[in-house]
Amino acid sequence: MTAQTTARPNLDRGVIGNASLAALIDDRAGLDWMCAPRMDGDPVFCGLLGAGDGEGDGAWRFLLDRQTASRQRYLRNTAILETILTDADGNEARILDFAPRFRRSGRLFRGSSIVRIVEPVAGTPRLTVSIRPRSDYGLNLPEQTRGTNHIRYILGPQVMRLTTDAPVEYVLSETPFLLERPQAFVLGPDEGLTDHPMSIARTFLHETQHYWLDWVRSLALPADFQDVVIRAAITLKLCSNEETGAVLAALTTSIPEYGASGRTWDYRFCWLRDSYFTVQALNSLNATRTMENYLTYVSNVAAGSQSGYMQPLFGLGLERMVDEHIVPGLPGYRGLGPVRRGNAAWTQVQNDGYGSVILAAIQCFFDERLPDMGDEALFRRLERLGAEAESCWDQPDAGLWEFRTRNEIHTHSALMCWAACDRLARIARRLGLAPEEKRWSASAGRIADAILARGWNEERGCFVAAFGGAEVDASLLLMAQTGFIAADDPRFLATVAACEADLRFGNHLYRYRREDDFGAPETAFTACTFWLIDALVRTGRQDEARAIFDDILARRNHLGLLSEGVHVDSGELWGNFPQTYSMVGLINAAMALSRRWEEVL
C-alpha cells in the first residue's frame, strides 16, 4: 500500500450526493464512506472506520505512481467535487466526483449512483484504480464477476455494478496504466447503461451542474458570507432523503466525540429536534422544499402513533425500532471504537420533540408562496402532538443531551412544550379557530409560568438546566430565539452570563460540564457555540459574536464543512460528519452577522 492508504485519518473530506445517496471523499480522492442502498444502510465503503486487513481497505482510490500532492475544491455552487493529483514528474490527473441529480421530463432524477471521471490534465500520469467494497459492516469481501466493460460486486443481499471504459482487467488486478484519455466510472445498481459510459457520465455531469447552479440561484442569500452559506445549504440538502422526507443528523456513525472517550454514536437517523433546525435554516434561505418533504415524513410518523407520543428519532423509512449494536468488523476511526449501528436513544423519553415538529411546520401556515399551505387537517394532526406536550412538559426525561442514566425535568424540554402550545395558538388564530386559540394560549401560559418559577435559580440569579437544579447548559441560550423571553430581559442577560462563565472556553462552548455516563465532555459542541453567537447578537454584543464566528470559520475543513465538535486545545474536528447542527449554525450566524443589502449596494 502507498502512504495514501496508511495516512492518519482526518475529517478533511468532501461530501457528494443527491438526497438519495451520499459518499465521503478524502482530500486525495479516496472514497471511503458510502452506505447503500440507503444512507443509514450497510457501508459498502467503510475505510473511514478502519476497514483494512491487508485484503481490502473498504475504499475506492485513484493512485498515481510517486504521487506527491493533491488539491481539491467544489465546482462553484455545486455538489461536484474536483480533486487534482500530482506526481513527482509533474504529471497531473483530475477526478470529478458527483451523484447525478437533475430534472428530466418534468421529474427529478436522483439515481442511486456515483459517477467518477478521471482525466489527464498535465503530462501522462500512471494510474492505479483500487476499488475494494465490503459488506456486513466490514466483515465480508464481495464476490466479483466481470463483463466486457463492467464488474459486478455481490455485497450480501445487494449487487452493485461498476461500468467503465477503463480496462476492466487493470481495475480488477489494480495494475498501473497510462492515463492517456478521460475514463468514466459509474457505480450503482446492477443495471446496464443505455449508452457509452463516458457519454452517460458527461451528460450527467452537465445536467447535475446545471441543477445545482439553478438551485443556488434561487436562494435568498445574505450580503456577506455567501460562499459559507451556499456550501452549508448544499450540504444540508445532501443530508436529506427526498424520497421519504427524512433529514439525517449526520452521514456517519461512530466518529468519536473525542479520542478514546467511548462516545461513538450512530447519527444516520432522523431526529425530530435536529430536523427542525435544518428546516428552519433552509426556510430562511427560501429553500422550503425540504420543509414540505419533512412535513410529509412527520405526518406519516404521527399517523403511526395512536396516542400522539413521539419518540426522539426514526429511521429514514419511518422505522421506530433502530436498536443499537456494536459492530465487530470495524475497529473505528483511528482505531477508536466501538463502532455502533443503531441508536438506543429511540427508547428514551425526550419531551422537546413535540415543539420541534410544530416549530418546523408553522411556516407552512403563513407562507403564501407555498403551493400547498397548511390547513385545518394538518393543524388537527399537530394538535395531537400538542396534547402530548400539555401532559408531559413537567415530567422527567433524558433531555436533548440524551443522558442514558438519569432523568430530570429539563428546562429546555419544558420550553419546547411551551413552544408547541404557543405556536398552535398562533396557527389556530391564523385559521380562525377561536376556541382552539384560547385553549392553546392558556396551556402555553401555564407552562410559561412554571418555567419562570421552577426553571429559575434564585441563588444563582439565572435560569438553570433542570427544574430545582443549580447548573446551566447551552440550551438555555435558545430561550430568546424561541420567543419565550425578550433578549434584553435581565433574566436572560444573567443566564447568558452564567453560560459564558461555566461553559465558555475561549471562543468555544461546551454543552454542559457536569459529568455524564462517560465522564466530563472533552470537546466543545459546535452547535452550542453558534447558539452563543445568536445570543450575543440578540443582546447587542455584535463585535464579540463576529470574533467567535471568525474563529469557527477558521476551524472548517478545506472545503468549508464542519463535524459535531471541536477540541478546544488542538482545534481539531471530532464527531460525526458533516453534522447538520453545525452546518445550520453557519447559516444562522452568517444571516445574523451580515450587513443588510442596502449597506452594500
Side-chain angles (χ1 to χ4, degrees), residues 331-390:
Y333 178 78
R334 299 186 184 174
L336 300 169
V339 173
R340 292 180 168 94
R341 59 180 295 187
N343 196 303
W346 77 270
T347 64
Q348 292 182 347
V349 173
Q350 298 178 28
N351 294 328
D352 62 311
Y354 306 105
S356 296
V357 171
I358 294 169
L359 285 171
I362 189 169
Q363 183 166 332
C364 76
F365 290 92
F366 292 85
D367 193 336
E368 294 285 355
R369 298 169 301 169
L370 300 178
D372 298 307
M373 293 184 64
D375 56 12
E376 186 173 345
L378 176 58
F379 172 72
R380 298 301 180 189
R381 289 196 292 273
L382 295 178
E383 277 196 306
R384 293 174 60 193
L385 306 184
E388 284 293 305
E390 280 181 316

Side-chain angles (χ1 to χ4, degrees), residues 243-263:
E243 180 182 13
T244 65
V247 179
L248 282 75
L251 295 175
T252 59
T253 177
S254 302
I255 299 179
E257 291 183 17
Y258 177 68
S261 64
R263 299 172 185 266

Side-chain angles (χ1 to χ4, degrees), residues 220-225 229 280-286 537 542 549 584-597:
L221 296 173
D224 299 317
F225 314 112
V229 172
Q280 180 192 51
L282 290 176
N283 283 352
S284 72
L285 301 177
N286 196 35
V537 171
Q542 192 95 2
F549 187 49
V584 162
L586 286 171
I587 292 173
N588 291 341
M591 299 289 277
L593 292 168
S594 173
R595 292 170 296 172
R596 294 176 300 170
W597 277 103

Side-chain angles (χ1 to χ4, degrees), residues 124-127 167 170 175-181 183:
T124 308
R126 196 160 178 256
L127 179 74
Y170 294 163
T175 299
F177 63 94
L178 292 174
L179 184 65
E180 299 178 299
R181 58 182 176 81
Q183 310 277 4

Side-chain angles (χ1 to χ4, degrees), residues 131-135 140-144 152-156:
I131 177 167
R132 301 177 175 185
R134 289 193 169 199
S135 64
N140 298 317
L141 298 172
E143 296 181 41
Q144 301 177 14
R152 297 170 72 247
Y153 299 94
I154 302 170
L155 296 152

